Amino acid sequence: MAFTISASISARASASPRPSLSGARKTSAPRARFSVARRAATGGMSSDAAGANDDPYKTLGVKPDADAVAVKRAYNSKQMLYKGEAAKLATVERAYEQIMQASLTARLSGASKVDKSVAFADRVRTSKWAPIPCPSPMKDVLVNYGLTLGCAFVTLVTPPSMRTLQVSIFAALLMVFRMFVKLVDVDPGPNAVLDPPAAQKHNNKRFARSFGVVLGTFVATLFATFWLPQFLIEVLQLTVPAWVLLHQEVFVSTACGLVLASLVSFYR
């Protein structure tokens, strides 16, 4: 009889489901992990703060049709503004990555037109000093060609006996400065406040490239328009009209100026 009662009690105990602590932990653990992951994705901000940053363009303070240079400037500006604030810096970084990813997706899908300098940016150049296509705004183009015409006019009104290549050299130095300003605009580089050594190094590279590309082109043009013709005239004993020799500096100044203006206006 005792054996029967104990067997009955054991059967009832095994038949009735008992609450499992491991089961409770299994159901609560995913919720905890989801809550932690959600807080990490929003940078520790509240849901309202995370929703306010859904628009990456609004976060950086740029228009949706802003170019890459404007977006990069806004990104650097926000980094300086929020320096030391990890949550806000993470939001700015996330917004910048979203804009860059959206731009890349549009380019790969053919939804947006891409400039040749961007579309073929991965091509290996024969030389790091070779000019890269980069058209300037129309106002800068007009300024470049205006400086060229001004220097040519100064050479023209100078008496023939006093004409030298100093005006052409002065125009070349002006174009070096114009090229440097252009490189600063199209290639901002590292932030000078957040990373001063990298910014200084990048600035030195821009300065060296401005001198190398512009002065190299100036020397090549000067050789083709001044030294080489003189050499051929003397060696081959060619007969040249007197007015050509009289206004040679005007031709050289105009040719060098036009070549350098075209270089600075359409390349970098």
Side-chain angles (χ1 to χ4, degrees):
M1 189 64 157
F3 174 76
T4 303
I5 293 174
S6 61
S8 176
I9 294 174
S10 300
R12 289 179 182 178
S14 61
S16 59
R18 291 185 298 176
S20 175
L21 295 178
S22 62
R25 286 194 296 267
K26 288 182 180 179
T27 56
S28 61
R31 293 181 180 178
R33 286 196 296 268
F34 176 77
S35 177
V36 173
R38 184 176 181 181
R39 287 196 300 269
T42 57
M45 297 182 297
S46 62
S47 58
D48 295 338
N53 293 323
D54 289 340
D55 187 358
Y57 295 97
K58 186 176 180 181
T59 301
L60 294 184
V62 296
K63 297 180 180 180
D65 59 348
D67 57 9
V69 176
V71 173
K72 183 66 175 179
R73 285 179 178 173
Y75 170 68
N76 291 336
S77 177
K78 293 294 184 181
Q79 280 191 319
M80 289 189 293
L81 181 63
Y82 299 138
K83 184 178 181 180
E85 302 182 43
K88 292 184 177 180
L89 286 175
T91 303
V92 171
E93 184 74 24
R94 188 162 52 248
Y96 179 73
E97 291 180 356
Q98 289 176 2
I99 294 176
M100 292 295 101
Q101 185 62 40
S103 177
L104 177 61
T105 303
R107 291 172 183 173
L108 295 178
S109 62
S112 63
K113 295 182 179 180
V114 183
D115 187 77
K116 290 183 179 180
S117 62
V118 177
F120 303 107
D122 57 341
R123 287 185 175 180
V124 178
R125 301 195 303 272
T126 56
S127 173
K128 66 178 182 179
W129 298 103
I132 305 172
C134 182
S136 299
M138 182 54 62
K139 63 177 183 179
D140 292 337
V141 174
L142 295 177
V143 170
N144 294 334
Y145 283 102
L147 292 173
T148 295
L149 295 178
C151 292
F153 179 76
V154 171
T155 306
L156 179 62
V157 298
T158 302
S161 59
M162 300 178 59
R163 289 173 182 168
T164 62
L165 295 177
Q166 291 182 357
V167 177
S168 300
I169 296 174
F170 177 74
L173 294 178
L174 279 179
M175 291 303 166
V176 169
F177 173 75
R178 297 285 298 170
M179 176 65 81
F180 179 78
V181 172
K182 181 176 182 177
L183 291 179
V184 172
D185 290 336
V186 302
D187 187 18
N191 190 286
V193 176
L194 299 180
D195 194 355
Q200 182 63 36
K201 182 178 180 181
H202 191 76
N203 192 62
N204 293 338
K205 288 183 178 179
R206 284 191 300 233
F207 192 72
R209 180 171 181 81
S210 300
F211 263 92
V213 173
V214 175
L215 293 185
T217 304
F218 173 70
V219 171
T221 307
L222 192 63
F223 174 80
T225 58
F226 185 76
W227 292 321
L228 183 60
Q230 284 189 339
F231 175 78
L232 294 177
I233 290 173
E234 293 178 0
V235 172
L236 302 178
Q237 297 182 354
L238 300 176
T239 302
V240 180
W243 65 269
V244 174
L245 296 177
L246 192 63
H247 298 287
Q248 185 180 15
E249 288 81 2
V250 179
F251 300 144
V252 172
S253 178
T254 304
C256 292
L258 291 176
V259 170
L260 293 182
S262 301
L263 173 68
V264 176
S265 298
F266 303 106
Y267 293 89
R268 67 177 177 90

